Structures are given as structure tokens and as C-alpha cells.
Amino acid sequence: MPNYSAPVKEMQFLLHEVLKINKTGIPGYGDLDMGFTGAVLDEAAKVATEVLAPLNPVGDREGCRLENGIVRTPTGFKAAFDSLRKGGWMSLDTPPEFGGQGLPCLMYTVVNEMFVSANMAFNMYQGLTHGATSTLLAHGTEAQKATYVPKMVSADWTGTMNLTEPHCGTDLGLMRTRAKPQADGSYRITGQKIFISAGDHDMAENIVHLVLAKAPGGGEGTRGISLFIVPKVLVNADGSLGARNAVSVGKVEAKMGIHGNATCVMNYDGATGWLLGDLHKGMKAMFTMMNEARLAVALQGYSVAEAAYQNAVAYAKDRLQGRDVMGPQNPTGPADPLIVHPDIRRNLMEQKSFVEGARALIFWGATLLDRARHGDEAADGLISLLIPVMKGFMTDKGFEMAVQAQQVFGGHGYIEEQGMSQFARDARIAMIYEGANGVQALDLVGRKLAADGGKPVMAFFEMVKAECKAHDADPRMAGLVEPLKAASKALQQAAMFFMAEGIKSPNAALAGSYDFMHMMGHVCLGLMWVRIAKAAHAGLDGGSGDRAFLEAKIATARFYMARQLPACAMHLARIESGAETVMALPAEAF
Amino acid sequence: MPNYSAPVKEMQFLLHEVLKINKTGIPGYGDLDMGFTGAVLDEAAKVATEVLAPLNPVGDREGCRLENGIVRTPTGFKAAFDSLRKGGWMSLDTPPEFGGQGLPCLMYTVVNEMFVSANMAFNMYQGLTHGATSTLLAHGTEAQKATYVPKMVSADWTGTMNLTEPHCGTDLGLMRTRAKPQADGSYRITGQKIFISAGDHDMAENIVHLVLAKAPGGGEGTRGISLFIVPKVLVNADGSLGARNAVSVGKVEAKMGIHGNATCVMNYDGATGWLLGDLHKGMKAMFTMMNEARLAVALQGYSVAEAAYQNAVAYAKDRLQGRDVMGPQNPTGPADPLIVHPDIRRNLMEQKSFVEGARALIFWGATLLDRARHGDEAADGLISLLIPVMKGFMTDKGFEMAVQAQQVFGGHGYIEEQGMSQFARDARIAMIYEGANGVQALDLVGRKLAADGGKPVMAFFEMVKAECKAHDADPRMAGLVEPLKAASKALQQAAMFFMAEGIKSPNAALAGSYDFMHMMGHVCLGLMWVRIAKAAHAGLDGGSGDRAFLEAKIATARFYMARQLPACAMHLARIESGAETVMALPAEAF
């Protein structure tokens, strides 16, 4: 069975030495000193390692079953959910007036990493509830908030998001689910939704479904879509539970991974629903939640990779196979541990440099979300630009790295009981849901680059430039700054290519969108590694902290620059080859 | 359920227009004219599509079960195996004197592609038998061959290869299984072997296990290893079956994929075995079979990707989602098919250009194996050099492409009943078994580059150069030849770097071995695409064949050069960064 230990030290280093969070001036951050965050993280670590991680293989093995219309979660899930509920772990960043703890999004994010690493499928029950709660808080009436939010903050009720239908996912304009207005102001919702994560389960007394549907008079396509609150059990005026609503589970899907989470076909047969937000503005309501939701999926990408990496390292140190070509490292043993071999090192360094860089990017992203919540428009523009990069790049890489971690185990990695297969299978979904990664690339190149007259992307380039310039005089940083400069320059060149060619044909930009997303991901991680190395040098200069830890950060930064940033030139060459070879074949030739 | 249709036209084009097999002068190839190969392929296609493909999801869903010491295969496997047996499909290239059909390895390879695409897990039962038969033919005494080979050629008995033990896979010197000589010349074999594919099943009356074990007097490490024949049921002097041997199945592993194949823990408890080949030369006997076995695994890489690609194309043409940014392509429908979108095209073109290039490489590789079998030393050197590239690069890419095919399906790709998950899960094993891909890279850089004084690698570079030079005067080929030249030059530069730096430290070469393997894979596929394009141009010039088909070949070649070969410069940059950043961290820092 795989092990997981929470990287509290890594997290504290990022929060306090790299991001220096309690000196940022972001509202609510002043209290987040080393002692406070340490206490939260230590407690969360206990939950993650003692409660959630042991259930991860159980959830994978047992999966969820539909029995007489009710979904049964795997053994132990209900007790674990109770324990999270009691600890208040699902309400870290919701407002105190609804029973939450009112911490910044950043703290929720940091804790979330641990929970996802420990048990991604389980954590989705609370993650979906968190997203639905945020949507209710942003768009609900006072009465709606009072009815639903406290129960969701306490996790007595959970939540879901219902977008996809059998024939449409990305293209929601094709939606068929209908909402029929009733005399009492409610709606009758009729239609089928699929791929509904945490769609049903036996861990809460009610489930609040947020459902996109077409109400009359909205016109064609996505313009006609509204968002509705459709509780599994109707709520009486006094807040008590009433009759069952006309919503049922058609099926629990058998999936490649995240077996512990119930992915449901939901049938709405004239179910009673209430409009959430403005009529025919359902897409807009969903979109406001998208940054948060996509950040959470990006986080899944590297968090599962972190768990896989930990196990790959343990195996590489333990498994004896072959000899170090430079001379035996374990001369009294029958062979040396795997970790002596250069190609195993390459593999582990790729994992390590990705996971640690990605963590920095997500934590920084969460600070941008917190700034944006407090009205910082520049932060809002920047995070909106970065979100598709984070979601697309980090989930692709997260899966790739989980596969690489599995590879360290050789044949043992392919055997289910080792748990490495589960990491790969679980990580795979993050590339697909919350907008498949090709859609993220389209969002980035087709929308975000040009958003607000290009201000956010220019600001990003300026930020990278400034970071590089700040270290021009520091010879210790030269090996880091030069590759980042080159990568950033290549990225700008790709953006210029899109601008120049995109005028002639949008396909020229779209055919390169996926490469651009990955290229920008590398530049983001390069930027993070410069910041991490800067903090490590500062720590070493100040004589504070753990020297070996700080030196490892600098060495890992150098690895990322030397071994990962060269991908940028490849992506640029692919982009600059244009759309012609991509689009040359007629569809019949495939 | 996924569909599979056998690419007979693609295969015929490669065999007759690209490779021109019956004009090569390779012994046995003279009879392989268009009509003959077409007849074989059409018959094989029927078996693949009608018998094997429908059982692929069945095998995945049901898996194999150990019941009272006997492994039960999935529903329908036994009948399908009978049907292959009756058709003589498992003996295509074994010698007629043992009941085989005496065709070249090439024909076995081409048919094998179809069978793997249709049902990889099922096909492994015959694949392992084929490998064991080859080993017996190469190293058995006349009596051994007479006893075992005809029964294996007829597939009444199947075969296995037993190498791995719980504590060792790659490093077989650590092996603990022992062989104790008996007075009658036989041995008693005692030990545990794991990951034994097709280790037991209910489809044949006997199973011939080839087992590596240590016999007394051989010294330490791999030198003490010998190879033994250990039948599941002992064979009487008259060829009839006698008593059960002391070999049993300890467990059937639950794996990520290839569920239809029984991966067994095999326990040998003083089982009776007979030496195969020379005493203490067991590793050498295994190695002679390695080129064939690794070519077969390389084939699995692209063959599963082919099946996944076919389904991705069908889905991309069928699924309506969004609109072509250049204007509606399906104006009367609610949306355009996925295939209009440039990023879907990019994805499909990556799959197509890989699968078709890989097929050409494997078919060509099989002709080299056939040449080598007939004593051509240059061909033997070349195929030995190329085998780790084929195995490592093509299985990595095969998995990556199966994952990309799955991605085309969005959320539907993650649902098991669609079958796309199975392709990805099945393809994953090919990166691991028959030498994990890191071991292939080590074999390539640590052994094959320097083999025979570097003759094979120099011959390879000369071959690429000559191919480029042959088209210097043809302006239509310029867009193909220049990128290949550049890629080949980069590959040579990497080899020079290894030579120069490797003298100072072997780690400098080993840290770049994986990148080198991929780089060389791209150069090989680039070479294939030049050859394919040349044949396509010849066909167009001659006015023969299907113009659309031939033009698609040229367009796909151009895509590969523009969009895939740029990876070579990235790999070179990574290689030239040396071992320093890879090896900088002490093991404790991970």
C-alpha cells in the first residue's frame, strides 16, 4: 500500500520564505504567521495521513454502488466524512456569518493539496460542495443563502454542479434540459445530466444540485441557459427536510479511476428547482466560479503527482538493482539502490522539479484569487490569464509525472496492489473534466491573450522581465535567469506569431494553442523556480533554516532550467510551422 | 464498444510500394507478391475483426480467475484460441519440418499487428508460445525439439518465459531459483517466479515453461544462470502426457490492464526440468531471443495506438460540438463535428503520423531480422542497434498516443464502457515489460552505440545521409529532407557529446540516455516518412494507386517533419546539459 506524508515543511517554506504571505498586505493575511499556518497544516496533515490516505486504495478497490436508487460509498468513507465535518475542514474559507472560518482561499488551497494527495476521489465530495457553496454565496438571494449555505458549510448537506448532457459537454449551447416556470415562482426541471461527480452518496442527509437548464424566452445557444437550485430533498420553510424531489440516479459510471467518487447519471423528471442568479444568465454565473474550480483541478494534477513521487522515491531508495556505474554505493549489499542510476535520477528530478514548482504556482495563484476577491483588478486579470495554463499544463504534467513515478517500480508499478496504477488512473481525469485541456488551450489563445486589450499578458511578461532583471547583478542566479529570459522571449515570439498570422487565419493560432499552453506553463514554473532560488539564497545568506533543504531547492531550480525549459524552443518551432500541415488533410483522409 | 478494422491497404502499400519486399532478394521473400500477401492479410483481418476484437472488452471486464489451482480465462477465449489454432495462425513463420508454414518473420509481424490491435491481452498467449518455440528451436537438442516444438507450433501446448523474481527483474544476477542436478540428467527446480504472462490458463493441455535458474558451479551473478524446460505436465517417452509437474500458480495478479492475460506468480517446488542449451549460459540463450521479443513489444506500442486512433477518428467525425472558426461545416446541423477544430486535428495528426511511421519502422525491422536470420551480419548489427529504440520510443509514444486518443472523447473517454481507457491501460505495460524503457535507453547508450566498434551506428547515420542525398535534386522532397538532416545532425552531435564526456564520466552519457533514445526514435520515424513520401510520389508520378491516399501520405510526412522532429533539438539541449544537474542532489535530499 502506498504511503503519504504531508509536505508541511515545503509548504511553510513557500508560504513564509517565498511568498512571505503575511507581509503582502492582502486582507486577512496579516494573521497568517508561521505559527498559525504551522498549526493548521499540522492538524490537516494528521487528517490527511491518518484518516484519508488509508481509505484511498479502499475507495479504488470497492468503488461506489447504486443500490435501490441510493449510492453506497466505499467502506469507511462515511466515518471519514463525519470526521472532516467535525473538524470543520470543509469550511476553512467560507464566511463566519454562515458558520465558516473566514480564512483566505490560500489556506483552503494549501489544506486541499494534502487532502487530494491523500485521497483525491474522497476529497471531491467536499470539493464539489465547496464550489456549489461559492456559487450560492455569489449569486443566491439572502433567503437562498440562509436556507442552503449554513448546512453546506457544516457539510450536513453536500453540493454538485450539473452541466454536461449525453450529447454535449463543451458546447453547452446544445443543452436539452428544460426549466418550466410555475405559478409559485419555482421551476420544473426536466432532462438528463451525466458525469455528475458526487451526484449521490450516503454521507449526507441532503444534496444541493446546481443545474443548468433552458428556461423559455432566452433564445438559442448558451444565451438561453439559466442556473437552478434543485435539492435532492425539498427543504421546508422552517429549514427542515420535506419530500424527496423528482431527481434520481440513473447509473453510477464505471471509470478508469477516482472510483471512490460516485460519477452519476442524474435524471430530472419535473424536479422542483429555483432560479439561482439572473434568468438566462446561467453561463455567466457558472463562469464566475470557473477560476476557483479550475485552480482546484490544476491542484489535483500536481497533488496526485506529489503522492506518486513520494512513493517512487521510497521505492528507488529501497529496491536494490544493479550497481552504480561509478562504483558500488552499497558494497556490503547484493546490489545498489535504484536511486544511484542516472536515468532513475532524471526521472525523479523531473517529478520533483515539477511538483515543487507547481505547488509554488498554485499557492501564488491562490494569493491572486484572494487579491481578486478583494477587488484587485490587475490580480483578477492575471489569474484569469493563468488559470487555463495552470489547469491544462499542470494536469497534463501531473498525469505524466504519475506515470513516470509508476515507471520507477518496473513491473510492480503495473500491479494494482502497489497503488501506483491508481495514481496514474486518478490523475488522468484532471486532464478531462472542468474543460478538457484542448479547451483550456483554446480559452488561453482564443480569449485570454486578447482579454482587456492584452493588458494581463503584457503584465505577465513585464513581471517575468522584472524578476530576471532583479537578479542581473547576482552571479549565483545567472544560470537560472538566462534560461528563463530565453523561454520568455520564445513565448513572446509565439504570441507575436499568433497576432501576425491570426489576422490572416485564426487556425494558425488555434493549431498552436496546445503548444502555447505548455510553453507558458514552463515559463510560469521557470518564474517560480527563480523565486524559490532567490528565497533559498536569502535563507542561506541569513544563515537561517536547513542548509541541505535550501541547497536542494537551488539544485532543483538549476535542473528545471537545464532540463525542462528547453521544451519551449520545441513548442515555438511547432507553433511557427503554422496550421498548414495540421489542417492539410481533408477529413475523409483520416 | 470500440471498433477495429484491419488496415490492409496501409500494410500492402508499405510491403509493396515502400519496402518492395519481393524485390529485396531476402530468402523466402520472392513469393510474397501482392496477391499472396493480400490473401493472407484479408484472412487475418477476418480473424482479428470477427473473432478477436469482440473479445477485447470481455477480457478486460472479466479478467482471469484462479479457481482450485487452475486459471480460468474470460468467456470466449477458449473458443477463439481454438479457432486460431485451426487456422494455423500461430505457426506462420515456424519451419515446415515442425508443422509450421515457413513464412518469413515479416509476415508473422504484419499479422501480429492486427491481432494485437484487436486484442492485445489475448494475443499474448500465442506471442509467448511463439517466443518459447523460437528459443527451443535455437537452443534445444533434436530430441527436445521433437518432443516440444510440434505441439507448440500446433498450439496444443503453449509456452512461457520465466525470468523475474520478487526481488529482481532487471538485475537477474540476484536470482534465487535453484536447479539441482539429478542422476538421470534432469534437474529439480525450486523457487518463485513472478509476472509470468500466460503462466497458466484453460486453453491448452500443457504449458511449456522456460525457466531461468542457478545450477551449481556457475559462479556469482548472471554467470551462474542456466535455462530449463519445465513442462506443466510431464511428457512421456512416447509423447503422451504423464504426471503433473511440481509447478503451481500462487496467484493471478490484479493489474492496470491486459486483464485478459493471466499474469501469474509461479511456484516451482522441486519441479522436474531439463537443461535447454549450455549449462550456465542461460542468459546468452535468453539474449538471442531478445531482438524478436522486443520487436514484438515495440509492435504492441503502435498497434494498440492504431486501434485507439481508429476510434478517436470515428468519434471526432461523429460528435458534434462547437463550430469551425472559419465558418460552419455542418450548417444544417446543431454544431460541427469535432474534427473541424485545429487542436483536435493536431491531436489526430500526431497519432496518425506516429502510427503509420511506426508501422513502417517495424515492418522494415522485421525485414532486417529476416536478413539477420539468413546470416547478414550488417543487418544483425543494425537491428540490434535499433531494437532498444523501437522498444523504448514506440511503447512510450504508443501509450502517449492512446492517451491522446482517449482525450478526443472528453469525459466519455474516462468511462470504461467506451473502451478508450482500456487502450491506455493496456498500452501502459509495453513501456515496462521486456526491459523497462529506462533499461532500453541504457542498453542503447551503454552498449549498442559502441557495439562492433561503432559500425552499426555509423551505418545508420550513413543510411540516413544517403536517403537525404538521394532526394537533394527533388524540390518536392526538400521540405522533408532538410528537417531530417537537421535531426540526424543533432543526433550525431549527441553521440559525439557522449563520446567526449563519457570518457570523463559515464554518468554524462547515462543521464542523457533516455533523451537519446527518443531522439533516435524521431530520426528513425523521419527516415520512414521520407521513404513513404518517396513511394507516394512514385505512385503519383506513375499514375497508379489512389491519389487521395498517396497525397495524404505526403501531407502526413510533412506534418511529422514540421511538428514532431523539432523534439530533437530539445533532447539535444537536455543531453548537452550533462549529468551535473541530474546528479547534484544527495539521495537523502529526495
Side-chain angles (χ1 to χ4, degrees), chain B residues 302-334:
Chain B
Y302 86 84
S303 300
V304 175
E306 160 75 27
Y309 166 71
Q310 289 187 13
N311 287 280
V313 167
Y315 192 82
K317 288 179 178 175
D318 182 61
R319 175 87 171 175
L320 305 180
Q321 208 80 177
R323 285 292 184 192
D324 188 338
V325 70
M326 310 292 281
Q329 297 298 308
N330 176 32
T332 58

Side-chain angles (χ1 to χ4, degrees), chain A residues 69-83:
Chain A
I70 295 161
V71 173
R72 301 289 172 198
T73 52
T75 309
F77 269 42
K78 201 168 185 311
F81 203 74
D82 279 339
S83 131

Side-chain angles (χ1 to χ4, degrees), chain B residues 278-498:
Chain B
D278 295 334
L279 186 67
H280 304 142
K281 297 280 162 64
M283 290 302 287
K284 210 185 142 208
M286 295 302 298
F287 268 109
T288 58
M289 291 301 104
M290 213 165 262
N291 281 349
E292 180 186 313
R294 290 182 172 175
L295 187 95
V297 175
L299 178 144
Q300 290 180 330
Y302 86 84
S303 300
V304 175
E306 160 75 27
Y309 166 71
Q310 289 187 13
N311 287 280
V313 167
Y315 192 82
K317 288 179 178 175
D318 182 61
R319 175 87 171 175
L320 305 180
Q321 208 80 177
R323 285 292 184 192
D324 188 338
V325 70
M326 310 292 281
Q329 297 298 308
N330 176 32
T332 58
D336 288 339
L338 282 180
I339 202 166
V340 304
H341 301 297
D343 187 61
I344 295 286
R345 281 295 179 103
R346 170 201 59 80
N347 182 345
L348 294 176
M349 285 300 293
E350 288 180 5
Q351 294 176 56
K352 180 179 169 68
S353 64
F354 164 70
V355 168
E356 294 180 9
R359 177 181 293 123
L361 183 59
I362 285 286
F363 285 13
W364 177 52
T367 70
L368 292 175
L369 270 187
D370 278 322
R371 286 185 194 274
R373 282 183 185 183
H374 291 96
D376 182 334
E377 285 182 17
D380 191 49
L382 190 54
I383 190 66
S384 296
L385 170 73
L386 293 177
I387 283 292
V389 178
M390 291 179 177
K391 199 282 183 182
F393 176 73
M394 284 168 60
T395 61
D396 276 1
K397 284 284 167 192
F399 172 69
E400 191 185 326
M401 293 301 123
V403 168
Q404 285 192 195
Q406 183 187 23
Q407 189 73 13
V408 173
F409 282 67
H412 297 274
Y414 200 65
I415 304 300
E416 288 294 353
E417 76 186 336
Q418 285 281 357
M420 300 308 287
S421 162
Q422 186 189 352
F423 291 133
R425 289 184 291 98
D426 285 357
R428 181 70 184 87
I429 188 59
M431 298 159 67
I432 297 174
Y433 62 19
E434 208 44 51
N437 286 355
V439 175
Q440 303 299 326
L442 180 64
D443 178 47
L444 175 65
V445 169
R447 192 182 302 161
K448 299 295 175 62
L449 282 188
D452 198 10
K455 252 192 227 165
V457 72
M458 295 306 294
F460 174 76
F461 285 130
E462 281 306 314
M463 178 178 287
V464 176
K465 204 173 153 185
E467 191 74 51
C468 291
K469 202 164 181 177
H471 306 294
D472 260 358
D474 188 346
R476 298 174 310 182
M477 295 289 283
L480 304 176
V481 165
E482 289 310 318
L484 177 59
K485 268 189 196 167
S488 179
K489 201 180 148 197
L491 185 68
Q492 289 184 63
Q493 193 174 323
M496 298 294 286
F497 175 83
F498 288 161

Side-chain angles (χ1 to χ4, degrees), chain B residues 163-187:
Chain B
L163 287 76
T164 306
E165 300 186 2
H167 60 289
C168 73
T170 302
D171 189 354
L172 290 171
L174 305 175
M175 186 174 289
R176 291 182 193 145
T177 298
R178 290 285 177 274
K180 200 174 157 190
Q182 305 297 302
D184 66 354
S186 71
Y187 289 78

Side-chain angles (χ1 to χ4, degrees), chain A residues 166 169 171 251 254 319 321-322 345 350 403 406-407 414 416-417 425 428 431 563 574 578 585, chain B residues 166 169 171 251 254 256 319 321-322 345 350 403 406-407 414 416-417 425 428 431 563 574 578 585:
Chain A
D171 190 354
K251 186 185 181 188
R319 175 87 170 173
Q321 209 80 175
R345 281 295 178 103
E350 288 181 4
V403 168
Q406 184 187 23
Q407 189 73 12
Y414 201 64
E416 288 294 354
E417 77 186 336
R425 290 185 290 98
R428 181 69 183 89
M431 297 158 67
R563 287 263 169 178
R574 290 165 53 118
L585 290 186
Chain B
D171 189 354
K251 186 184 178 185
M256 187 179 185
R319 175 87 171 175
Q321 208 80 177
R345 281 295 179 103
E350 288 180 5
V403 168
Q406 183 187 23
Q407 189 73 13
Y414 200 65
E416 288 294 353
E417 76 186 336
R425 289 184 291 98
R428 181 70 184 87
M431 298 159 67
R563 287 264 169 176
R574 289 166 53 119
L585 289 187

Side-chain angles (χ1 to χ4, degrees), chain A residues 164-172 174 194-195 251 253-259 263 309 313 317 319-326 334-335 339-343 345-346 348-350 352 396 399 403-404 406-407 410-417 421 424-429 431-432 436-439 441 504-508 510-515 548 551-553 555-556 558-559 562-564 566-567 570 573-575 577-590, chain B residues 164-172 174 194-195 251 253-259 263 309 313 317 319-326 334-335 339-343 345-346 348-350 352 399 403-404 406-407 410-417 421 424-429 431-432 436-439 441 504-508 510-515 548 551-553 555-556 558-559 562-564 566-567 570 573-575 577-590:
Chain A
T164 307
E165 298 185 3
H167 60 287
C168 72
T170 300
D171 190 354
L172 290 171
L174 304 175
I194 63 168
F195 304 156
K251 186 185 181 188
E253 304 283 3
K255 309 182 301 293
M256 185 179 187
I258 52 165
H259 296 163
T263 305
Y309 166 71
V313 166
K317 288 180 178 176
R319 175 87 170 173
L320 304 181
Q321 209 80 175
R323 288 290 185 192
D324 187 338
V325 70
M326 311 293 281
I339 201 166
V340 305
H341 300 298
D343 188 61
R345 281 295 178 103
R346 170 201 60 79
L348 293 176
M349 286 299 294
E350 288 181 4
K352 182 178 167 67
D396 276 2
F399 172 69
V403 168
Q404 286 194 193
Q406 184 187 23
Q407 189 73 12
H412 297 273
Y414 201 64
I415 304 301
E416 288 294 354
E417 77 186 336
S421 162
R425 290 185 290 98
D426 285 358
R428 181 69 183 89
I429 188 59
M431 297 158 67
I432 298 173
N437 286 354
V439 176
K504 293 176 231 158
S505 159
N507 279 351
L510 298 182
S513 59
Y514 213 88
D515 283 281
E551 281 164 358
K553 290 280 163 281
T556 308
R558 295 185 60 244
F559 176 89
R563 287 263 169 178
Q564 302 301 81
M570 173 189 74
R574 290 165 53 118
I575 288 167
S577 77
E580 195 251 321
T581 66
V582 176
M583 305 301 289
L585 290 186
E588 314 81 68
F590 284 88
Chain B
T164 306
E165 300 186 2
H167 60 289
C168 73
T170 302
D171 189 354
L172 290 171
L174 305 175
I194 64 169
F195 303 157
K251 186 184 178 185
E253 304 283 3
K255 308 183 300 295
M256 187 179 185
I258 51 166
H259 296 164
T263 304
Y309 166 71
V313 167
K317 288 179 178 175
R319 175 87 171 175
L320 305 180
Q321 208 80 177
R323 285 292 184 192
D324 188 338
V325 70
M326 310 292 281
I339 202 166
V340 304
H341 301 297
D343 187 61
R345 281 295 179 103
R346 170 201 59 80
L348 294 176
M349 285 300 293
E350 288 180 5
K352 180 179 169 68
F399 172 69
V403 168
Q404 285 192 195
Q406 183 187 23
Q407 189 73 13
H412 297 274
Y414 200 65
I415 304 300
E416 288 294 353
E417 76 186 336
S421 162
R425 289 184 291 98
D426 285 357
R428 181 70 184 87
I429 188 59
M431 298 159 67
I432 297 174
N437 286 355
V439 175
K504 293 175 231 161
S505 159
N507 278 352
L510 297 182
S513 58
Y514 212 89
D515 284 282
E551 281 164 359
K553 290 281 163 279
T556 308
R558 295 185 60 245
F559 176 87
R563 287 264 169 176
Q564 302 302 79
M570 173 189 73
R574 289 166 53 119
I575 288 167
S577 76
E580 195 251 321
T581 66
V582 176
M583 305 302 288
L585 289 187
E588 314 80 68
F590 285 89

